[in-house]
Amino acid sequence: MNKLIAVILLFFVVSLQAQVARKYSNEFLNIGVDAAAFGMSNAVVASSSDVNSGYWNPAGLLNLKGKQISLMHANYFANIANYDYAAFAMPIDEKSAFSLSLIRFGVDDILDTTKLIDADGNINYNNINLFSAADYAFTFSYARNLGIENLRFGANAKIIRRIIGDFANSWGFGFDVGLQYDYKKWTFGLMARDITTTFNTWDIDQEKLEDIQNAIPGENQEAPEETEITLPKLQLGIARTFTFKHKLTLLTELDFDIRFTETNDLIASSFASITPSLGLQLDYNNLVFLRSGVGNFQNVTQLEGGEKLNVQPNLGLGFHYKGIYVDYSLTNIGKTDEVFYSNIFSLKLDWSIFQKKQ
């Protein structure tokens, strides 16, 4: 196990030394999936054990008992942006499993006004067109038992497609690696995202770019960079489940998200920034789930000077009946920062509900 972790960390060091990249890139892949996870403030890296593990930690796919489907839809920025997710996962054999997932984050029906004013200086509303700006991520996840007791290993291969109308589009590729390890009553999780850095290469329509440059006289709209590099990120988690009387079970998890750049996170330096998240899930007989969490600790600069520590509390509720899981979460319930709250629903289905009973 120590050798495997050392190899993962070596990838991180080489990637960080070899590249100069933006602080933020492909941020839509950091939003998360599954209302149950949102309810726990995304503190699920160690405990994730279903179809959604393809996103949170592919090593968790080895806990699958059968085929599963997951669907989620959410609106962001006062319903301006749509966020959709779908995934399918299944065991291959006793030692391996895989999943396929698709994420789309898009803003549709954007007004293109670059030709609103014609060559004669007249306003012509017939020249207004609509376009979409959408980001897609297709992920293949594979998990395998490496023969080390209580250790699970998983990896993701990601294809990223980003489209901005007819103006520009890009292709990107990246890899993630995840581990889960059980020790007595504790479970430890490690998720290394974009471990080799994720590359996006843009193809920009020069004619469209000229339209943008000429749309506002006197403005100098420079061409954006044609290559983006997403730096590696590391997530560490520790989880434990407590069993009480009356069929009550409490899942607890503490995670640490590490970015290898300086941000507004709770702990920040020029080398790395760290923010914690804590999640709780109380369930009754695996039928009803109540979740809460707190995360996204940020040092926010105030207009009057100084900094204020903002956090994001979340709350969630879930129901399970005969292989059907319906989950709901309300994020940022206390409105303690500038982020608007969001209502998120997700659906998870065991494939067995589609099969006829003998």
Side-chain angles (χ1 to χ4, degrees), residues 337-351:
D337 58 23
E338 289 78 9
V339 179
F340 293 107
Y341 68 85
S342 296
N343 296 283
I344 299 174
F345 294 89
S346 66
L347 176 67
K348 184 174 68 177
L349 302 173
D350 289 336
W351 192 262

Side-chain angles (χ1 to χ4, degrees), residues 168-358:
N169 65 86
S170 77
W171 288 98
F173 304 91
F175 298 91
D176 307 327
V177 171
L179 296 173
Q180 286 182 343
Y181 180 71
D182 299 323
Y183 178 74
K184 295 183 178 180
K185 296 182 179 181
W186 300 89
T187 300
F188 300 87
L190 180 151
M191 180 63 171
R193 298 186 181 276
D194 306 300
I195 187 170
T196 58
T197 67
T198 293
F199 293 82
N200 282 79
T201 302
W202 285 89
D203 180 17
I204 301 170
D205 189 311
Q206 294 300 321
E207 183 177 345
K208 293 287 185 179
L209 180 61
E210 291 179 3
D211 289 339
I212 297 174
Q213 293 172 332
N214 297 329
I216 305 177
E219 291 289 332
N220 182 18
Q221 179 66 48
E222 297 181 356
E225 298 177 4
E226 294 186 1
T227 301
E228 291 180 340
I229 299 174
T230 304
L231 288 176
K233 295 176 286 291
L234 192 65
Q235 293 174 288
L236 303 174
I238 179 172
R240 181 172 177 175
T241 299
F242 300 87
T243 302
F244 306 104
K245 296 180 180 179
H246 308 296
K247 301 180 180 179
L248 290 175
T249 302
L250 177 65
L251 168 64
T252 63
E253 178 160 339
L254 175 65
D255 284 8
F256 294 92
D257 293 347
I258 305 172
R259 291 176 180 260
F260 293 90
T261 186
E262 188 168 5
T263 67
N264 291 330
D265 288 343
L266 181 62
I267 302 172
S269 69
S270 57
F271 174 71
S273 300
I274 305 172
T275 186
S277 56
L278 175 65
L280 304 173
Q281 174 182 271
L282 180 68
D283 80 81
Y284 170 73
N285 198 30
N286 197 33
L287 293 176
V288 181
F289 303 83
L290 179 63
R291 306 180 180 98
S292 65
V294 61
N296 196 25
F297 291 79
Q298 300 287 309
N299 293 308
V300 179
T301 302
Q302 304 298 300
L303 293 176
E304 61 274 14
E307 290 186 343
K308 177 184 177 182
L309 178 62
N310 282 350
V311 300
Q312 183 175 331
N314 294 348
L315 186 67
L317 186 64
F319 301 94
H320 171 215
Y321 180 73
K322 293 185 178 180
I324 302 174
Y325 299 79
V326 179
D327 294 297
Y328 164 78
S329 70
L330 178 62
T331 66
N332 197 25
I333 55 176
K335 294 299 293 294
T336 58
D337 58 23
E338 289 78 9
V339 179
F340 293 107
Y341 68 85
S342 296
N343 296 283
I344 299 174
F345 294 89
S346 66
L347 176 67
K348 184 174 68 177
L349 302 173
D350 289 336
W351 192 262
S352 59
I353 66 173
F354 299 108
Q355 299 174 342
K356 294 183 180 180
K357 296 183 179 180
Q358 301 296 330

